[in-house]
Structures are given as C-alpha cells and as structure tokens.
Amino acid sequence: MSRHAVFAVAVLVRSAIGWVFFGSIDVHNAMDDAAYLLGGTPPSALDVPYLPGVQLLIWAAGVIAFHIALPAAFLFKLAACVFDAAIAAMLAETRGPRTGWLYAFAPVPILIFAVHGQWDSICFALVLGSLLLLRREGNRAAFTAGALFVLAAIVKPVVVPIALLFLERKRLTAIAAGMAACLGIWALALWLVGDPFSQKMVQHVLNYAQHGVTYFGSPYALGINGNRILLTILPVAVLVPLYWSGRVQREDAVLLFYALILATCGLAAQYLTWIFPFLLLRDHVRYAALYSLVAGVFLVTFYVSPFGGVGGYNFENLSAFAPLKSMSWLTPTAANAPLKLTVVRSLGDYAIPLLCIGVLFLKRPDVAPTSPSPMSLLVAGAVVAIMVVAAATLPWPSYPEFIERRETRIQAYNVETFRAPPDPKRQLWRIPSGTRAHPLAATNLGYAWIVAWSVISATRGAPARDR
C-alpha cells in the first residue's frame, strides 16, 4: 500500500508544479516539434538527439493541448512527471517507504521534470525497472528486462553504453531475445509510419554524443575539450570486466558509470538527475543529501541567470520559473546576473564534478535491492497509452492552427517575448524584464525547499530496512 501512496503523492506534487510553471528551452522546443510533426515532418527529421520514439509523446501532447484548455506547457511534462513518480514507487518498494518518500519530494528530479521539462525520467525509470527485474529468477523476468532496456535506449540513447552490464551468462538468450523483440517492434512501427530505421538516425545520435549541449563541468574548468566518445568507452572498459567477474554489483556499476560521465564529459542541467535515483537505490542517502544541496542550488540559480548557458548565454531558460499570471507573485528576478553567474560556474564547473568523483569512494553496500512489482511502470505506461489513443481519436490541427492556439495559451503565463543570443532570429518567452522578486518568489521557495530536504535526508540517514 505504501508504494501506491508514494506514487500518487509523487504524481500530484510533480503535476501541480508542472501545471504552474512554463518551463525551459526544452518546452519551447517540444512545442515547436509538435507543430512540425502536425505539419507532416517525419520524426527522424526533427532536430531531436534521440532515436524516433519520444516524438510520439510530443505529438500526442500537442494534439491534446490544442483541444483542451490546459496550461500550454503542462501536457509536454506530464509523461516525464508520471514516470518520475514510478521511480519513487520502485524505490519505496525495494528500499523501503522512507526512501520512496524522500524521492517523491526530492528537489533535483522535480526541478528537471516538472519545471525544466525534460524526458530523462522515462528513460531511467525503464532502466531502473530493468535492473530490478533482473534480480528476479526466471527467463520471463530476463526477457522483460531486456525489452525495457531497449525501450529506455530508444527514449534516450545515453543508456546504450551500459548495455553489457545488463547481460548475464545464464540468461543471455532470454535477455537478448527481449532486446531483439523490442527492437524489432520499434523498427516495424517506424516502417509502418513511413520513417524506416536508417544509419542516418544512428549518426545523428553519435554526433550529438560527441558535440551535443554541455555548458558546465570539468572540461570548462580545465579548459580541455576531450573526446566524449572515448571518455564514455573508458569507464565501460573498466566496469564491465569488474561486473562480469563479480567484483562489482550491477547497480553499483551503473552508478559509477554515470558518476564518471558527469565528472569528465561536461554537464547540462538535465544530466544532474542521472545518478540521483541510483544513489538512493544503493543506500547513499546522506551523500544524496549533499549532492541535492549543491545540484539543487545550481539549478534554481541557473534558471534565473541570464548567462552561463549555450555560448555563454542563458536567456532561453529564463522562462523556466515563469508562473501562470494568476500566481504571478511566484515570478523570480533575473537581476544580479554577475553574482548568479559566479554561483553557477563555481558549482557547475567544480563542486558538482568533484561530488561525482566522490561517488567512486562511497562504501558499496552488501545488501542487494529487492525486485519490486512493475505496477508503477505499468500505470505510467498506461498514462502514455491513454495520451496517444486520445490524440489519435481527436482531429489533428494543422501547423498554423497549432501555432496560433499555442500563442494564445502561452499568454496565460507571466512572460514576455524576446529575441536574443544564441539564436537572435527566434522568438522565445521569458520572465518579464525588470521583475522585482516577491519574498515568496519561486527561487526563494526553491532554496528553502532544497535546504530542508537535504537536512531531513541527512539527519534521517539510511532506511531502517537496510540498517
């Protein structure tokens, strides 16, 4: 019963926050992509650094948002919020209710999925589900785990490098069969919609892996532009033999891999969620409290800093904390830009990479996580299925119709339009310039929430189940 309560509350918290705030440049991009899809652009032609898959959710959110008078950005965040709640429920079942409740109210994932508007939670909920299913005996669990892993890779290929960590000698055939089945169904679906799988799709992902968006991290601190593909291969080359020889558990190897990636390859805001559920899964609660404090302060400051993003500019993310006009007192200020830039550069270039390196020295617990029920993942999947079916049954708007309706709906937020670097030809939205922050502005509430969560987590320590 506790996992159901954790899931329900986590969905409610994320949905409420996602309802109120507009979101980052990724929400702008999702809305534009929905318009292109409705205009007939094939999924693989979009400038999205993933394999065709998540575009289905973007399309569905666009169709439903056109017909239902909801806040313009809400439906573009809903699936990610529900899958993030599924992570909370799985942690509650495998590590105890206390860990589940901690994740349900954790600032870092909520900021990324309910405010920023990214999709990583879908990918990592599927990875976590696959990890935990492999703790079960039998080929059926292994087959399902393999399928979930491939589905995660389709959503976001950042999990592809750890594929060898999900193979087992005794159940290799079952796991590989699950992977192949999922891959085959996906390829068939692409062929049926007239956008068949091609080498160009893979090349697009590889190009992004090497040259994609990062604007903080150790490469900036050291002034070194490393080869990200090589920096990804090296930890795999070390961790896979350690896992296959039984010296490192699978869950620890996954955590160590993403910690090394964040420490060496550079950072963007959404990457900060990658290690967080695995810290809690492996019972590093106090370290998660420290990480959340630093990463949370970085994120809240970043979303109101005019500088520090792509090309040194961050105007495109100044809409993240833009609230509905009915709650305009939550609007933060973008003033004090030099101080904010100092904070985000200090934390992003130095503190967060050092914390990721610190993960390497954490004591690995002997207790393996238990395998939870897949019910929360099934519910999250059902929400996505309902969205897709609903969109398929509604009349599809044209590109101009969607753009016109979007412009009208965005007026419900406390935003202004602007054109500025890094793309001065593109019209975007941001919090109004010259805003004076209310004492209860989103940033002030965010800082208080981050500190409170970290203190509570650090003082509560490890869940009773694993002590």
Side-chain angles (χ1 to χ4, degrees), residues 10 20-21 26 80 83 85 157 202 243 272 278 282-283 298 414 447:
V20 170
F21 295 106
D26 290 315
F83 272 91
V202 177
Y243 160 66
L272 301 183
F278 301 108
R282 301 309 288 145
D283 200 23
F298 167 85
N414 189 29
Y447 290 132

Side-chain angles (χ1 to χ4, degrees), residues 20-23 318-324 331-332 413-415 430-432:
V20 170
F21 295 106
F22 181 84
L318 292 182
S319 59
F321 280 128
L324 296 170
T331 308
Y413 293 94
N414 189 29
V415 292
R430 66 182 179 192
I431 53 177

Side-chain angles (χ1 to χ4, degrees), residues 37 43 84 103 112 126 141 257 314 328 356 412 439 455:
L37 290 168
D84 196 44
Y103 192 88
I112 294 300
L126 295 169
F257 171 79
N314 196 39
S328 59
C356 292
V455 169

Side-chain angles (χ1 to χ4, degrees), residues 3-19 74 77-89 101 103-105 110 114 376 379-380 383:
R3 73 172 186 273
H4 301 312
V6 168
F7 179 75
V9 171
V11 170
L12 182 62
V13 169
R14 285 154 177 75
S15 298
I17 294 173
W19 181 283
F74 175 68
K77 305 176 186 178
L78 181 59
C81 289
V82 174
F83 272 91
D84 196 44
I87 292 177
W101 286 116
Y103 192 88
F105 290 96
I110 292 175
S376 58
V379 173
V383 170

Side-chain angles (χ1 to χ4, degrees), residues 200-243:
K200 183 180 178 181
M201 296 178 185
V202 177
Q203 188 61 48
H204 182 57
V205 171
L206 291 175
N207 286 340
Y208 185 84
Q210 175 60 28
H211 306 290
V213 175
T214 62
Y215 33 75
F216 292 97
S218 58
Y220 295 88
L222 300 174
I224 300 173
N225 187 17
N227 186 313
R228 279 194 255 170
I229 301 296
L230 178 61
L231 290 173
T232 300
I233 293 173
L234 287 176
V236 172
V238 173
L239 290 169
V240 168
L242 290 175
Y243 160 66

